[in-house]
Amino acid sequence: SHHRSSSAMLRAMLSRRCVGLAAAACTGTVAACELQSDQVDHVQFKERPEDKWVEVEQRRRADKAAQRLPFEYSKALRTLRAAYSFPLESMRELKTHFIAEAKAGLAGQPSSMRMLPTYVTKRVTGEEKGDFYALDLGGTNFRVLKLTLVGGGKVGPVKQAKFKIPDEIKKGTGKGLFGFLADSVAVFLATECGGNPNGDLGFTFSFPTEQTAIDAGTLITWNKDFAATGVIGNDVVALLQEELLDRGINLRVRALANDTVGTMEAAAYRFPETAMGVILGTGTNAAYLEKAGNVPKWAGAPCDEMVINTEWGNLGMGSLMNGYDTAVDRASDNPGAQQLEKMISGMYLGELTRVTLSDAVVRSALSPECAAQMQVAYKAKLSLQTAAMAAMEADTSPTLSEVGRVLAEAGVVSTTEADRILVREACVCVSSRAAFLSAVGVASLLDLTEHTDECKVAVDGTVFECYPFFKERMERGLELILGDKRAHAVDLILAKDGSGVGAAIIAAIAP
């Protein structure tokens, strides 16, 4: 072979600065956690008595505070609630709009939803077997995985490493970015797999991509803070494979997958009745199974059905946006695009809350010291993180001491109980609407496919998994829009990290 021996070559590579960067980026403790083999969890929805609903508990708390405070406080509460109310009438309006845009997208007509064919035309059986590799690029971290499919719907041991992608790599050149990914793979193979194995690889690439085959696709546009040059319009599989080959790495990219498709397939390996995959994390998107006859724009080889990547985050929201949504959209890197995502996803919920709290009506209801400190602490764009919102919403202590701690950490040290209640009210308003919007997305796809049987909806992402009571509010939204009977036939399951496991499964079914 023209390649030097694997281990010698990998050792030589590890001395290069770039690999030094990849090795440094490897986030220590999770460098190679043996994940539990069972990656799909049932989410048990406990029936919540209404007085335990975070939105009901918060409303009571705020209304009680308003009774003993000046008129400005009630006005601020009314302003927040009016801006984020999402009644059944609005939910139905959104569902009608969503289905119309989806049908236009499938037909190749102008639409804010791209409805991209994924070339995944084969159903997963759960009997696929073998060792597979997966790469997952979708946000802050890049993951490399090795896993064994053992059949019977079971995934064997999973090894993985996580690498934090530095900003200069995200915004540098395409060659630099894909070189960094290949260097990270080299670090993983050298430290975890004892050399340079041969194998098939699934590549989860969670950016809008026009797929041209199961193992080829061109980047349409970057989002999520990536801006590497020389990638848009090019085949991302070819860019990756070239960097792997340059380093003598013997893995072949067999499948290009979107994280949403991966989530769906990871769940389908265990639950064949999985109807769709949904991401509710840094970004949001969904994929589902469509009959080929309903995809007029499909011009590829004839098939019965195909997984469609909806790119629903880009749905144009028009009149359903409030003034704060419009402000966040205008100030973003991509005004006019990803409007639904800006109302739902982890990247934007904190920013939406920050912009909402800076409204003069809301600010005038805060104590003067708190208002002044908030103006300084949360002046910068993206300075209020969604994780901070989640921590404040999880606080059920009598005087909201955790809300006080989160605010103090940001530099807002003077808060009254009433201030803390108002800040938490803004968080609850923003997140409750996000959960209802997510529910309408799921309901719309079920209606589009005329799905009335029991089914599983596989969801991944930190907002769904970690945000307090998000899942439960989503369930409530499904009950409102679908009616109790149909909603209770929908089983929302957490398909954790399906974007890694799922990509390997798609590589396993690739022709």
Side-chain angles (χ1 to χ4, degrees):
S1 158
H2 64 285
H3 294 312
R4 289 172 285 164
S5 88
S6 331
S7 55
M9 184 171 55
L10 280 169
R11 269 202 305 278
M13 281 172 50
L14 284 167
S15 65
R16 290 170 48 224
R17 182 209 160 261
C18 231
V19 176
L21 192 59
C26 192
T27 53
T29 51
V30 281
C33 43
E34 292 278 349
L35 294 177
Q36 286 136 16
S37 55
D38 222 342
Q39 288 296 294
V40 182
D41 292 324
H42 264 287
V43 175
Q44 288 306 324
F45 288 104
K46 298 181 186 68
E47 281 299 316
R48 293 185 301 153
E50 199 166 308
D51 63 338
K52 292 283 189 289
W53 294 4
V54 66
E55 56 279 39
V56 173
E57 175 262 321
Q58 167 60 32
R59 181 173 283 250
R60 281 193 192 135
R61 204 187 273 258
D63 288 347
K64 197 170 161 193
Q67 287 167 8
R68 56 185 165 77
L69 288 162
F71 169 72
E72 283 79 11
Y73 199 85
S74 303
K75 191 178 173 191
L77 288 177
R78 277 203 308 277
T79 302
L80 288 171
R81 290 168 185 175
Y84 289 100
S85 82
F86 194 51
L88 187 54
E89 189 186 333
S90 301
M91 293 172 90
R92 287 186 177 135
E93 184 189 330
L94 176 58
K95 182 157 70 92
T96 304
H97 169 58
F98 184 113
I99 291 170
E101 287 289 277
K103 285 181 172 170
L106 291 171
Q109 294 160 357
S111 167
S112 60
M113 278 169 70
R114 294 193 184 91
M115 306 301 281
L116 304 168
T118 63
Y119 291 77
V120 177
T121 56
K122 217 168 134 188
R123 284 199 186 210
V124 174
T125 63
E127 292 311 321
E128 294 79 7
K129 291 177 181 162
D131 286 345
F132 294 91
Y133 294 82
L135 307 183
D136 177 16
L137 177 69
T140 320
N141 293 313
F142 170 62
R143 292 190 308 141
V144 187
L145 298 91
K146 180 192 180 189
L147 58 93
T148 308
L149 301 178
V150 293
K154 287 266 184 284
V155 178
V158 178
K159 280 186 171 170
Q160 72 159 337
K162 265 188 191 176
F163 300 85
K164 192 170 180 3
I165 303 168
D167 267 353
E168 66 268 22
I169 296 283
K170 285 185 191 173
K171 295 180 180 349
T173 65
K175 186 160 182 61
L177 173 64
F178 285 93
F180 176 84
L181 303 187
D183 289 336
S184 303
V185 172
V187 170
F188 176 75
L189 294 177
T191 55
E192 288 310 312
C193 306
N196 191 7
N198 293 311
D200 288 343
L201 175 72
F203 179 29
T204 298
F205 183 76
S206 306
F207 300 91
T209 306
E210 189 79 55
Q211 252 180 284
T212 49
I214 187 94
D215 59 354
T218 56
L219 176 66
I220 298 168
T221 179
W222 283 120
N223 55 19
K224 289 182 277 199
D225 227 21
F226 277 71
T229 56
V231 185
I232 291 174
N234 287 313
D235 178 4
V236 295
V237 172
L239 293 172
L240 174 64
Q241 194 72 69
E242 185 185 345
E243 298 300 325
L244 293 172
L245 282 171
D246 272 2
R247 288 154 179 76
I249 295 168
N250 301 327
L251 299 178
R252 181 170 160 230
V253 186
R254 291 295 305 272
L256 176 66
N258 178 278
D259 54 352
T260 322
V261 181
T263 295
M264 178 177 164
E265 300 299 14
Y269 190 71
R270 200 174 129 192
F271 301 113
E273 69 279 24
T274 303
M276 73 182 83
V278 177
I279 299 289
L280 294 167
T282 309
T284 183
N285 190 13
Y288 73 104
L289 199 58
E290 183 59 277
K291 293 184 182 71
N294 294 336
V295 192
K297 70 177 176 185
W298 174 243
C303 57
D304 295 332
E305 54 189 11
M306 177 175 297
V307 178
I308 298 290
N309 166 19
T310 64
E311 290 293 339
W312 81 8
N314 196 55
L315 181 65
M317 293 300 286
S319 65
L320 289 166
M321 291 166 74
N322 64 33
Y324 311 121
D325 296 314
T326 307
V328 167
D329 183 31
R330 279 197 191 128
S332 69
D333 296 340
N334 52 352
Q338 299 298 114
Q339 287 179 335
L340 178 63
E341 180 164 272
K342 287 167 188 166
M343 296 164 79
I344 286 182
S345 78
M347 186 165 172
Y348 296 100
L349 292 178
E351 177 65 0
L352 200 46
T353 305
R354 182 190 76 84
V355 169
T356 304
L357 288 168
S358 66
D359 181 316
V361 174
V362 179
R363 198 184 295 145
S364 69
L366 295 166
S367 64
E369 298 85 354
C370 177
Q373 289 172 7
M374 287 209 30
Q375 216 164 342
V376 176
Y378 295 122
K379 189 170 184 218
K381 191 175 148 187
L382 301 175
S383 53
L384 176 56
Q385 295 289 312
T386 302
M389 267 178 87
M392 292 194 277
E393 229 168 288
D395 185 3
T396 53
S397 65
T399 58
L400 297 184
S401 51
E402 179 64 12
V403 174
R405 192 194 63 74
V406 171
L407 292 172
E409 234 172 50
V412 185
V413 290
S414 309
T415 59
T416 64
E417 188 184 336
D419 292 333
R420 298 192 288 275
I421 290 171
L422 190 60
V423 170
R424 187 169 181 259
E425 177 81 27
C427 296
V428 171
C429 284
V430 170
S431 62
S432 295
R433 187 190 62 167
F436 275 25
L437 287 165
S438 308
V440 174
V442 169
S444 302
L445 286 179
L446 292 174
D447 275 10
L448 177 69
T449 51
E450 297 171 354
H451 210 300
T452 52
D453 306 334
E454 292 204 353
C455 68
K456 293 198 169 14
V457 172
V459 192
D460 190 12
T462 45
V463 171
F464 182 77
E465 185 188 357
C466 307
Y467 201 102
F469 304 114
F470 195 90
K471 302 185 274 280
E472 289 81 355
R473 282 177 274 181
M474 211 173 147
E475 277 268 285
R476 180 73 190 122
L478 285 170
E479 287 173 348
L480 289 170
I481 189 83
L482 292 175
D484 285 2
K485 187 166 181 283
R486 262 188 86 196
H488 296 161
V490 179
D491 190 8
L492 293 175
I493 56 174
L494 177 65
K496 186 141 171 51
D497 280 338
S499 49
V501 176
I505 291 167
I506 296 167
I509 59 171

